[in-house]
Amino acid sequence: MRVQVGDVRLFFDVEGAKLRPDGAKMREVPTVILLHGGPGFDHSNFKPDFSRLAETAQVVYLDHRGNGRSDRGDPAKWNLPQWGDDVRGFCEALEIERPIVLGVSFGGMVAMSYATRHPEHPAKLVLSSTAAVSRQDRSLEMFEKLGGAEVREVARRFFENPGPEAMAEYQKKCLPLYNRKPSPPEFMQRAVMNPKLTADFFLHEAHTLNLLPDLAKIKCPTLITAGELDPILPVADSKDIAAAMAPGVARLEVFENAGHGVHRDQPDRFFKMLDEFILA
């Protein structure tokens, strides 16, 4: 399904009803909007893992503009302020009120952009394996720790010049280190990708990223999850986010022996924690 949001049509998918029979009445459950990582990927890597969340909430999968099955739009609008505003516009188009917005990796950056630009809109926020400021030095250090000097060099070349050859080498040498559990081959095979957007982000947005000064604007309860062995967005990045937020707003949970996207390495702990946070 696609819906018009500003100058583009955004693709989305839904699991779980909003209204559910409960005796003599219909019970309304929260709506969770999932913001995928990448950038340049799509929502497919959430499936089937997040299907279990539909027992607790209505789950909405969204492809960002320029990503996945959404319209590419104007490349000049491939930036975090626009992606953040798109989340608000998407909710208005579908009349979603008080959403719980969950962003993983790049999706977490979009979630922070949205929540700092529209602080009254979200009911809750979940930030998983993400960062508010660009610290590629941390990432290179973790890649070397997990894979040695050769892997560090592969990552450095990709960060500095994310062309087709560097991207292919990065996917071969660096992606396998993202998680403790090997990702199935279909993780990449089924994704609808936009390599041009990926390259554009690493050449521009990644070098200027700094959401830290605005994080104190976020008012809603925020759960932050991070993997201790995450090489691309190390746990120190999540600690920075928690420290920059207003007192009492954020709760940081660090997962030992977990990498990027802790739901992949420790699904039972993550989804139990997520259910409790949503229903609290």
Side-chain angles (χ1 to χ4, degrees):
M1 296 178 285
R2 297 207 287 178
V3 64
Q4 191 76 33
V5 177
D7 58 330
V8 295
R9 290 174 302 162
L10 300 184
F11 179 88
F12 69 101
D13 204 358
V14 180
E15 275 192 274
K18 178 68 174 177
L19 296 173
R20 305 181 182 186
D22 185 7
K25 62 181 180 178
M26 297 296 285
R27 176 172 55 89
E28 184 173 325
V29 299
T31 295
V32 178
I33 300 176
L34 300 182
L35 304 181
H36 65 80
F41 281 71
D42 64 0
H43 74 280
S44 64
N45 60 61
F46 281 128
K47 297 175 177 177
D49 295 346
F50 276 81
S51 292
R52 63 197 287 178
L53 185 59
E55 297 178 11
T56 302
Q58 180 185 56
V59 181
V60 179
Y61 305 89
L62 176 64
D63 284 359
H64 311 287
R65 77 163 58 215
N67 293 256
R69 295 165 178 81
S70 290
D71 287 352
R72 295 295 182 251
D74 182 357
K77 295 184 178 181
W78 293 348
N79 57 67
L80 286 168
Q82 182 63 63
W83 284 314
D85 288 347
D86 283 346
V87 176
R88 173 66 182 267
F90 173 76
C91 290
E92 290 179 346
L94 294 182
E95 298 185 1
I96 298 174
E97 298 179 356
R98 306 293 292 162
I100 298 170
V101 176
L102 185 157
V104 177
S105 190
F106 160 71
M109 300 173 193
V110 176
M112 285 183 280
S113 174
Y114 151 74
T116 55
R117 295 170 67 82
H118 308 280
E120 304 293 342
H121 197 258
K124 295 179 181 179
L125 208 61
V126 182
L127 307 173
S128 178
S129 302
T130 191
V133 67
S134 182
R135 285 295 304 271
Q136 291 179 353
D137 58 318
R138 290 173 173 170
S139 182
L140 293 175
E141 183 179 333
M142 278 300 296
F143 272 122
E144 184 170 7
K145 178 180 178 180
L146 296 174
E150 178 188 2
V151 171
R152 177 193 176 109
E153 182 62 16
V154 169
R156 184 195 64 78
R157 287 197 294 267
F158 172 70
F159 292 159
E160 294 183 359
N161 184 22
E165 291 185 8
M167 189 177 297
E169 189 177 23
Y170 181 88
Q171 291 176 354
K172 180 180 179 181
K173 297 289 183 67
C174 297
L175 282 185
L177 298 177
Y178 272 39
N179 293 98
R180 302 299 88 201
K181 294 181 179 179
S183 297
E186 57 266 26
F187 179 88
M188 297 294 294
Q189 295 168 356
R190 68 190 177 202
V192 176
M193 300 176 64
N194 181 1
K196 182 180 178 182
L197 187 148
T198 304
D200 184 83
F201 183 88
F202 278 98
L203 286 172
H204 302 105
E205 201 86 354
H207 292 285
T208 60
L209 171 67
N210 188 2
L211 296 167
L212 287 176
D214 292 325
L215 292 184
K217 297 177 182 178
I218 297 176
K219 301 178 179 181
C220 63
T222 301
L223 173 64
I224 305 169
T225 62
E228 191 178 46
L229 299 178
D230 186 342
I232 184 63
L233 296 173
V235 65
D237 294 338
S238 290
K239 292 179 179 179
D240 284 346
I241 293 170
M245 297 185 72
V249 169
R251 165 190 164 194
L252 172 63
E253 293 286 346
V254 178
F255 287 61
E256 297 180 359
N257 198 34
H260 190 64
V262 296
H263 65 276
R264 300 186 183 103
D265 287 324
Q266 297 183 24
D268 290 342
R269 180 189 171 195
F270 173 80
F271 283 104
K272 181 177 184 295
M273 184 180 297
L274 182 58
D275 284 347
E276 292 172 351
F277 177 72
I278 289 171
L279 297 175

